[in-house]
């Protein structure tokens, strides 16, 4: 799976039948989310939800929304040391030494790229820094990541065909406050139907 994935663990055939994806017909696109299937044991992507910020015929890029680290952005910039804590999320295994962010600030940050109706990616960091230092609200408006998730040409399509991901529609408000496995479950609940069985599948099937 290249930059983003490791292979499935072996599972009993009846488990695979019970929890297998039946495609919902939603195709990947910029602004949509990828929900990992419940068998996935990869450290980056287990119980993950990824926002696609770019999807073309040549490549796809996105950020894991719900993997919060113990790191704070404040620790890396002296001028931010006295403002509210700014948590960093693990966006994926590529370029983990680089900072990325999504936000709702739009034209407040020049050079932002619009992802959906209300969500933007990147933008002028000096303008962002100025926004933060003025004590403007952050929660529900900006989310910071270390690293990203990336796919080469046809790679994501192949993974979806192999039932690694379920594609869903993003809730712009919720993705900015998303944390932990609860958001993975919430994303499944938003699709509902047969996928609700995923929520009850044990995180580590070898322990049952």
């Amino acid at each position: 799976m290249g930059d983003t994935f490791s292979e499935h663990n072996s599972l009993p055939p009846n488990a695979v039948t019970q929890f297998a994806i039946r495609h919902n017909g939603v195709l990947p696109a910029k602004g949509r989310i990828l929900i990992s299937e419940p068998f996935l044991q990869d450290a980056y992507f287990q119980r993950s939800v990824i926002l696609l910020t770019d999807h073309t015929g040549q490549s796809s890029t996105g950020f894991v929304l719900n993997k919060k680290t113990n790191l704070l952005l404040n620790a890396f910039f002296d001028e931010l040391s006295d403002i509210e804590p700014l948590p960093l999320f693990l966006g994926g295994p590529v370029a983990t030494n680089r900072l990325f962010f999504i936000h709702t600030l739009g034209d407040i940050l020049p050079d932002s790229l619009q992802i959906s109706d209300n969500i933007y990616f990147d933008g002028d960091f000096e303008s962002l820094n100025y926004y933060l230092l003025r004590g403007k609200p952050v929660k529900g408006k900006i989310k910071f990541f270390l690293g990203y998730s990336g796919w080469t040409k046809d790679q994501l399509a192949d993974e979806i065909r192999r039932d690694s991901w379920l594609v869903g529609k993003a809730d712009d408000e919720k993705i900015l406050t998303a944390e932990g496995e609860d958001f993975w479950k919430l994303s499944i609940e938003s699709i509902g139907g047969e996928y609700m069985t995923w929520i009850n599948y044990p995180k580590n099937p070898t322990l049952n």
Side-chain angles (χ1 to χ4, degrees):
M1 195 167 175
D3 292 331
T4 62
F5 197 65
S6 62
E7 296 297 326
H8 293 206
N9 287 2
S10 297
L11 293 165
N14 62 331
V16 173
T17 301
Q18 181 180 1
F19 293 97
I21 292 174
R22 293 174 179 84
H23 292 296
N24 60 355
V26 180
L27 298 176
K30 182 173 69 174
R32 289 185 174 167
I33 56 173
L34 305 175
I35 306 168
S36 67
E37 51 86 0
F39 306 123
L40 181 54
Q41 299 295 304
D42 182 275
Y44 282 98
F45 301 109
Q46 185 181 46
R47 306 288 164 113
S48 67
V49 181
I50 295 176
L51 173 69
L52 287 175
T53 54
D54 189 45
H55 179 72
T56 68
Q58 299 302 313
S59 63
S60 302
T61 303
F63 296 90
V64 179
L65 294 166
N66 57 327
K67 301 286 184 175
K68 187 177 180 180
T69 74
N70 294 323
L71 300 173
L72 297 176
L73 181 64
N74 314 62
F76 297 93
F77 297 91
D78 291 340
E79 65 270 27
L80 301 179
S81 60
D82 293 329
I83 69 170
E84 66 176 292
L86 303 173
L88 290 169
F89 287 75
L90 192 60
V94 186
T96 55
N97 62 337
R98 288 188 57 195
L99 176 69
F100 303 89
F101 53 95
I102 59 174
H103 56 90
T104 62
L105 304 181
D107 292 340
I108 294 175
L109 301 187
D111 302 323
S112 296
L113 303 175
Q114 189 166 12
I115 303 305
S116 62
D117 289 344
N118 301 304
I119 299 296
Y120 297 78
F121 166 64
D122 211 359
D124 181 65
F125 191 78
E126 288 188 11
S127 299
L128 174 61
N129 201 37
Y130 180 67
Y131 178 92
L132 296 174
L133 290 174
R134 290 170 63 203
K136 296 291 187 177
V138 174
K139 187 173 183 180
K141 293 184 177 294
I142 311 171
K143 194 167 202 172
F144 298 96
F145 303 93
L146 291 175
Y148 69 92
S149 303
W151 294 263
T152 56
K153 183 179 179 180
D154 298 327
Q155 188 181 15
L156 180 57
D158 289 343
E159 292 177 10
I160 292 172
R161 280 194 293 269
R162 295 204 308 268
D163 301 337
S164 301
W165 304 104
L166 177 65
V167 183
K169 296 180 179 179
D171 183 319
D172 286 355
E173 183 176 346
K174 291 177 181 175
I175 64 176
L176 286 163
T177 57
E179 291 184 21
E181 188 174 334
D182 285 346
F183 184 65
W184 179 79
K185 293 179 180 179
L186 184 66
S187 299
I188 294 168
E189 289 172 356
S190 70
I191 296 176
E194 60 193 330
Y195 301 102
M196 293 296 289
T197 58
W198 287 12
I199 294 174
N200 299 318
Y201 189 77
K203 196 167 186 177
N204 186 347
T206 62
L207 299 179
N208 287 322

